[in-house]
Amino acid sequence: MVPVFADEQAIQKAVELLKQGRLVGLPTETVYGLGADALNPEAVKRIFTAKGRPADHPLIVHIPDKSALEDWAIDIPESAWKLAEHFWPGSLTIVLKKQPDVPMEVTGGQNTVALRVPNHPVALSLLRVFGGGIAAPSANRFCRISPTQASHVEEELGDKVDMILDGGACQVGLESTIVDLSGLEPRLLRPGQISQTEIEAVLQISLELPNDREKIHAPGAMELHYAPDAHTLLCSIEQIKEILAGQVYQGNYKFGVLTFKKELQTSVNTHIIIMSADSKSYGHDLYNALRQLDNASVDIILVEYPPKTDDWAAVNDRLKKAAKQFTEMDNRKVKITV
Ligand code: TXA
Ligand code: MG
């Protein structure tokens, strides 16, 4: 499906499709979503089929403003209102106990629902005209990199989506932060641009991190979730230099590199992308960069470790899921299978 510029007429058409139970690719400030009417179980099932996603992986319901929270959730704690007030519209998803009429198809069979007011004019206007909740996971095939431009949605899903609204490149570029407020303690299920520190400052309480059982219900927390096709390794700059100098892998591999250093030498077999030293800009560019390297058909992507500070948590989380650490690899001159 070729993306359509998201003017008023296109949004109207998208609303009609949603009402008919069809799927619409839509821009948000984080990544592009694959949207369906959240109250229509058949439409929601189409999302899972289009993505090839297991049915027990819950979806985020996008709502037009915080006053809609009560349509979807019950027992809403004061902390949820505080976070909504402070961060919405924005890249924060809040998990709450669900209203009984929220379909189990949306929540992956759980009694909780994830809610977010996206901060993108096209998404907001679509939500307002539609007048309901739009269930939307990232618009990529299961276990692939999330799309940050309309053309990526086309690349990922082709004709499995009925319309793609083009609202330009996503401003944030990484998926939303997810906080679970459905239990006794608030938990951070997925780091994002809105950091743990910022949330803790608003709530005046520390966030717990999820245990392994909970991770099963948060596919975003799975290992190797956001992986490019190429074999991807996290390395130090010294390791990158050794690898590019042919001291580690034998074979005629094409390398892609994400690095902060400008002094690395390019060659015909190496595609180097210099990344920003600012965590927000890095996060904004990351998926695009990985996608670019995949499209250049590199065999191995070498990613220089970013800093470990709190503002890099979202980037490090996604890299950990996309890549293996070089030290875990057999780094004695072996031929690896890519
Ligand atoms: O930025 C975003 O969050 C994007 C845009 C489109 O809004 N959406 C997104 O959706 O990243 P998706 O499906 O790729 O990731 C949704 C995450 C998953 O990790 C899922 O487990 C979690 O939300 N989630 C959804 N409902 C949940 C629930 N009831 N309890 C726990 N986690 C939930
Ligand atoms: Mg996703």
Side-chain angles (χ1 to χ4, degrees):
M1 209 46 67
V2 180
V4 182
F5 178 72
D7 56 13
E8 223 172 286
Q9 204 184 349
I11 289 175
Q12 194 58 51
K13 168 92 178 123
V15 166
E16 279 161 33
L17 287 168
L18 288 173
K19 288 190 171 157
Q20 291 161 18
R22 313 304 308 181
L23 302 183
V24 173
L26 64 129
T28 81
E29 81 282 29
T30 57
V31 299
Y32 271 74
L34 176 63
D37 179 352
L39 287 181
N40 179 340
E42 291 311 311
V44 171
K45 279 189 202 154
R46 286 204 179 101
I47 293 182
F48 289 91
T49 312
K51 280 190 63 127
R53 173 167 167 145
D56 61 349
H57 289 199
L59 306 176
I60 296 172
V61 177
H62 298 74
I63 52 176
D65 56 65
K66 68 175 187 307
S67 69
L69 261 181
E70 282 163 319
D71 298 339
W72 299 89
I74 53 169
D75 298 345
I76 304 170
E78 192 47 41
S79 53
W81 293 112
K82 267 195 206 159
L83 291 182
E85 176 66 35
H86 206 274
F87 294 111
W88 283 356
S91 55
L92 178 74
T93 296
I94 306 178
V95 174
L96 295 166
K97 288 191 190 128
K98 78 175 193 76
Q99 280 282 2
D101 57 354
V102 179
M104 285 294 186
E105 283 78 3
V106 171
T107 68
Q110 300 185 66
N111 288 322
T112 53
V113 62
L115 295 157
R116 173 165 110 83
V117 178
N119 188 16
H120 191 291
V122 172
L124 285 172
S125 129
L126 183 70
L127 282 162
R128 286 191 192 118
V129 182
F130 179 61
I134 299 178
S138 50
N140 49 281
R141 281 172 283 135
F142 185 56
C143 283
R144 289 262 314 152
I145 305 165
S146 296
T148 54
Q149 293 175 26
S151 61
H152 300 166
V153 182
E154 186 184 1
E155 250 173 62
E156 286 289 317
L157 298 169
D159 284 340
K160 292 182 180 143
V161 50
D162 300 292
M163 181 179 191
I164 302 171
L165 288 173
D166 188 346
C170 301
Q171 231 176 38
V172 174
L174 294 180
E175 304 82 354
S176 60
T177 308
I178 305 182
V179 175
D180 183 355
L181 298 179
S182 68
L184 290 177
E185 309 288 342
R187 283 171 194 277
L188 181 73
L189 296 186
R190 180 171 73 184
Q193 197 193 65
I194 296 176
S195 70
Q196 180 171 352
T197 319
E198 283 174 274
I199 296 167
E200 288 176 343
V202 172
L203 295 184
Q204 300 281 304
I205 184 173
S206 348
L207 292 174
E208 305 263 316
L209 297 175
N211 60 36
D212 287 344
R213 189 182 55 79
E214 285 160 331
K215 278 187 185 168
I216 295 167
H217 296 298
M222 272 174 15
E223 293 293 302
L224 284 178
H225 188 63
Y226 305 98
D229 289 336
H231 190 82
T232 306
L233 294 171
L234 274 164
C235 317
S236 67
I237 189 70
E238 290 73 29
Q239 289 166 336
I240 291 177
K241 285 178 185 164
E242 280 175 24
I243 293 169
L244 293 184
Q247 293 169 13
V248 178
Y249 298 126
Q250 292 170 347
N252 194 21
Y253 296 121
K254 202 170 165 191
F255 289 102
V257 184
L258 301 189
T259 175
F260 299 104
K261 308 291 183 303
K262 299 195 172 65
E263 78 265 10
L264 282 182
Q265 300 232 317
T266 342
S267 75
V268 270
N269 267 336
T270 318
H271 191 110
I272 294 175
I273 300 182
I274 310 290
M275 300 298 285
S276 170
D278 172 73
S279 60
K280 285 196 170 131
S281 312
Y282 190 111
H284 175 270
D285 297 340
L286 176 61
Y287 288 156
N288 208 11
L290 291 175
R291 200 172 276 276
Q292 219 178 307
L293 294 177
D294 257 352
N295 290 344
S297 301
V298 304
D299 302 300
I300 304 175
I301 299 177
L302 307 172
V303 182
E304 183 183 350
Y305 281 110
K308 296 271 187 282
T309 45
D310 181 54
D311 54 326
W312 287 89
V315 165
N316 282 318
D317 171 76
R318 303 315 187 274
L319 283 176
K320 210 172 135 204
K321 285 161 187 158
K324 292 189 173 132
Q325 288 198 21
F326 177 72
T327 47
E328 284 171 13
M329 297 292 301
D330 188 354
N331 63 357
R332 289 161 296 144
K333 307 195 175 196
V334 286
K335 191 172 164 82
I336 58 162
T337 319
V338 290

